[in-house]
Amino acid sequence: MMKFSLQSKKPSSSSSSKPKPIIKPSEDSKQVQFITEFDASSKTTQPKRPIPVIAPIENEWRPHKRMKNLELPISSSAAAAAAPSLSFEAAAPDSLDDKTAISYGLTIRNNKTPKSESNGGGVHEHELPPPPPPPPRPGVENMLLQKLRDDLQRLPEDNGFQEFDDTPVEGFGKALLAGYGWKEGRGIGKNAKEDVEIVVQKRHTGKHGLGFVEKVDEPFRFSVGKNVRVIAGRDVGLKGRIVKVLESKSEVVLELSKSEEKVQVRLEHLAELGSKEEEICLKKLREAASKSKKRKTETTTTTKTTSIKASWLKSHIRVRIISKDLKGGRLYLKKGEVVDVVGPRMCDVSMDESRELIQGVSQDFLETALPRRGGPVLVLYGKHEGVFGNLVSKDLEQETAVVQDGNNHDYVNVRLDQIAEYVGDPTYLGY
């Protein structure tokens, strides 16, 4: 590496080989220096340019001044004794004839006797002079114009483009913030601790929507022989063992544990045993099973309720009144016989005790009455509707009963709400 050394020397007077440059008086009076040597090892020191700072603008805002208290009358005892007491006097009656001397309103006078009166008549020397008229109020336009003039007087003089020599346009904002104590790397605001990075928006060229995050390629987790669980798809919830990984590495061949069936599953539909994805999948499956069971129970209850609400009224069966709304409640829990069915859900009942005939009784106010074991019963609705026989047994906990058919003597299992005691002639039923 070559080193060049140049130095700045003034031409000596002894060297006469080179002519001296002629400097005219009209030219610059500075002496001309020639560079003869330059040392690259020595560092050139350039003066550091000071950081420009713009002085902060003084806050001239002041809240609106409150209204000053009005001058109140003197209330101290000493001042009250020194000031003359004020009172009101009525106008003299003889002065009312002269219209020019009439004064309207109240006149404040002094109690002291007037020293002298003018020859012109009713004006006294001790009377106070009238107050001077208030100065005219300036208009809104004049106030705004005066404020503009005051603002223009406070502004500094315009020095043209020389103002940008010390503070360039590019660093104006930094210089303005530095005047308020801001330093580079420090945040802006009351509670700012550090500078906030600018959010750079990335433009996606593909068909990606808002909030799209590019996925980083993860290492392949599933290998042959590993036990996994299916968390999505047709075989969701089942466990299996990987027997083959396809070339695309996006699907694997899985052998299910229970059926030993081999199925092809995508990697997105698999999860490792004990992982968080597996727990979420199992939780969803349990919730779905619980909802399905609850829905099935509600369907069974609805079917049972619908069957109960079906029309089961028959003539010559015994019923019990279960509503207090019928006849003011005096027939509550009393038994009777259906003597006539006047509608799908309406009948006439003859009470057992009083033999009173109650007409137009709704089916919703009644329930079937059962006889003792061995008594005659009639199946009112259902699969064995119309079967007449004897009550063999009944289970109150299961709400079921066994009825022996009167024709073929077969035993029929029915619910308790499907049968009622029959008190009519069996020949009308074909028995």
Side-chain angles (χ1 to χ4, degrees):
M1 184 175 182
M2 300 178 63
K3 181 185 292 186
F4 296 92
S5 177
L6 299 177
Q7 292 182 356
S8 174
K9 293 184 178 180
K10 295 181 181 180
S12 59
S13 57
S14 59
S15 60
S16 59
S17 60
K18 294 182 180 180
K20 296 181 180 180
I22 300 174
I23 300 175
K24 296 181 181 180
S26 59
E27 295 178 358
D28 193 1
S29 60
K30 295 182 179 178
Q31 296 181 358
V32 180
Q33 298 180 0
F34 297 95
I35 299 176
T36 59
E37 188 178 1
F38 174 74
D39 189 3
S41 61
S42 61
K43 296 182 180 180
T44 57
T45 57
Q46 296 181 357
K48 291 185 179 180
R49 192 173 184 179
I51 300 175
V53 177
I54 298 177
I57 302 174
E58 184 181 358
N59 186 8
E60 297 181 354
W61 181 84
R62 295 291 183 274
H64 297 288
K65 295 182 179 179
R66 296 182 179 179
M67 182 181 294
K68 294 182 180 180
N69 296 331
L70 300 177
E71 295 182 359
L72 301 177
I74 302 173
S75 58
S76 60
S77 59
S85 59
L86 302 179
S87 61
F88 301 99
E89 293 182 2
D94 52 352
S95 63
L96 298 176
D97 297 336
D98 189 3
K99 293 182 179 181
T100 59
I102 294 177
S103 59
Y104 295 94
L106 301 178
T107 305
I108 301 176
R109 299 177 178 241
N110 198 339
N111 284 343
K112 293 184 179 180
T113 306
K115 295 181 180 179
S116 59
E117 296 181 357
S118 60
N119 296 331
V123 180
H124 301 279
E125 292 181 356
H126 64 274
E127 291 183 358
L128 300 175
R137 293 185 177 181
V140 179
E141 296 181 357
N142 295 335
M143 294 175 61
L144 296 176
L145 183 60
Q146 184 62 32
K147 189 175 183 305
L148 177 61
R149 290 172 181 171
D150 297 341
D151 293 342
L152 292 176
Q153 289 180 0
R154 289 197 298 268
L155 292 176
E157 296 182 0
D158 185 13
N159 298 328
F161 288 99
Q162 297 178 0
E163 297 181 357
F164 300 98
D165 293 341
D166 296 335
T167 305
V169 179
E170 293 79 5
F172 178 80
K174 185 184 294 185
L176 185 63
L177 293 175
Y180 290 94
W182 176 81
K183 297 180 181 180
E184 190 171 358
R186 181 181 176 186
I188 300 175
K190 182 178 180 181
N191 301 323
K193 296 181 180 180
E194 58 184 6
D195 195 5
V196 180
E197 296 182 359
I198 301 175
V199 178
V200 181
Q201 299 293 338
K202 288 186 178 182
R203 183 177 180 181
H204 298 288
T205 56
K207 298 180 180 179
H208 305 312
L210 297 176
F212 171 76
V213 179
E214 295 182 0
K215 293 185 178 180
V216 182
D217 294 338
E218 299 180 355
F220 193 74
R221 299 181 300 167
F222 304 106
S223 57
V224 177
K226 191 170 186 178
N227 294 327
V228 293
R229 186 180 295 276
V230 183
I231 60 174
R234 182 172 60 99
D235 304 311
V236 59
L238 300 179
K239 291 194 299 182
R241 183 174 59 88
I242 299 176
V243 295
K244 184 180 179 181
V245 179
L246 300 183
E247 295 180 359
S248 60
K249 291 188 177 181
S250 60
E251 294 181 348
V252 297
V253 177
L254 191 68
E255 183 182 357
L256 300 179
S257 301
K258 291 184 177 181
S259 62
E260 296 183 357
E261 180 185 358
K262 293 183 180 181
V263 294
Q264 192 170 330
V265 186
R266 298 175 59 87
L267 292 181
E268 294 83 359
H269 298 168
L270 298 178
E272 298 179 2
L273 299 180
S275 63
K276 187 176 181 180
E277 292 82 359
E278 184 192 16
E279 294 179 0
I280 295 174
C281 175
L282 295 178
K283 183 178 179 181
K284 290 182 179 180
L285 291 176
R286 286 193 294 268
E287 292 177 355
S290 177
K291 289 181 180 179
S292 177
K293 185 177 180 180
K294 184 178 180 181
R295 193 181 300 110
K296 186 176 180 181
T297 305
E298 291 177 356
T299 305
T300 305
T301 306
T302 306
T303 305
K304 184 177 178 180
T305 306
T306 306
S307 62
I308 293 174
K309 290 184 178 180
S311 178
W312 48 264
L313 292 175
K314 305 289 182 182
S315 299
H316 306 296
I317 62 172
R318 297 191 69 213
V319 293
R320 182 184 291 107
I321 297 175
I322 58 173
S323 176
K324 294 182 179 180
D325 297 336
L326 185 63
K327 298 297 181 179
R330 63 183 181 86
L331 301 177
Y332 182 62
L333 297 181
K334 292 186 177 182
K335 296 181 181 180
E337 178 187 351
V338 176
V339 296
D340 189 14
V341 179
V342 297
R345 302 174 63 85
M346 198 74 64
C347 65
D348 298 338
V349 179
S350 176
M351 305 307 297
D352 291 348
E353 296 179 356
S354 61
R355 309 306 300 177
E356 179 184 1
L357 181 62
I358 311 298
Q359 296 181 343
V361 181
S362 175
Q363 175 182 293
D364 298 334
F365 296 165
L366 304 174
E367 72 174 3
T368 58
L370 300 179
R372 294 181 180 180
R373 185 177 299 177
V377 292
L378 177 66
V379 181
L380 304 178
Y381 64 93
K383 179 180 178 181
H384 306 286
E385 181 179 357
V387 173
F388 172 77
N390 297 326
L391 179 62
V392 178
S393 64
K394 59 182 178 181
D395 189 351
L396 298 178
E397 294 182 358
Q398 300 294 332
E399 296 183 355
T400 57
V402 178
V403 178
Q404 185 180 12
D405 192 348
N407 282 337
N408 50 21
H409 304 285
D410 292 338
Y411 293 97
V412 178
N413 294 322
V414 294
R415 294 199 307 268
L416 292 179
D417 55 352
Q418 292 180 317
I419 58 176
E421 182 181 2
Y422 186 75
V423 294
D425 190 355
T427 58
Y428 290 103
L429 300 175
Y431 287 86

